[in-house]
Amino acid sequence: MQLAAPKGTIPHRAIGWVWVVLMLVVSLASFFIHTIRLWGPWSPIHLLSIFVLIMLPLGVWYARRHRIAGHRQTMTLMLVGALVIAGAFTFLPGRIMHQVAFGH
């Protein structure tokens, strides 16, 4: 809905703020998950969390400055990085979603 709806409208901004807050909460919460420990208590998913924590304020800053191309690119990168790539990590063998999807 957010990608297809007209940009700059009140619904776009409201849904955008909800998405920003949720992304912030999820990325901060991920620092308390230590199931995969590659570097001490950290894993590659934590790199994505750091990426989100850097890109969220940048994306908001672009929007507030009416730098639409930068805002679009930043939010698209976060969508792909935080949802698609992080989502793919959940399907690794030994993870709960791998068991749900593949029954092993």
Side-chain angles (χ1 to χ4, degrees):
M1 181 173 129
Q2 185 72 334
L3 297 175
K7 309 302 181 258
T9 62
I10 291 174
H12 176 82
R13 290 177 183 196
I15 293 169
W17 276 113
V18 168
W19 189 77
V20 165
V21 169
L22 291 175
M23 288 297 291
L24 180 63
V25 169
V26 169
S27 64
L28 289 173
S30 76
F31 288 104
F32 297 97
I33 300 171
H34 303 288
T35 307
I36 299 173
R37 296 170 179 253
L38 293 180
W39 310 293
W42 313 113
S43 70
I45 197 73
H46 295 104
L47 294 175
L48 286 172
S49 297
I50 293 168
F51 172 77
V52 167
L53 291 175
I54 293 168
M55 298 301 274
L56 268 177
L58 182 62
V60 170
W61 183 80
Y62 278 139
R64 305 276 299 167
R65 299 286 182 264
H66 302 284
R67 296 174 132 181
I68 304 307
H71 174 70
R72 181 183 300 119
Q73 183 179 19
T74 303
M75 293 303 173
T76 301
L77 282 171
M78 267 196 304
L79 179 71
V80 170
L83 297 180
V84 175
I85 294 172
F89 275 115
T90 65
F91 287 98
L92 290 174
R95 306 287 292 174
I96 293 171
M97 284 307 298
H98 184 271
Q99 293 173 334
V100 169
F102 305 110
H104 299 285

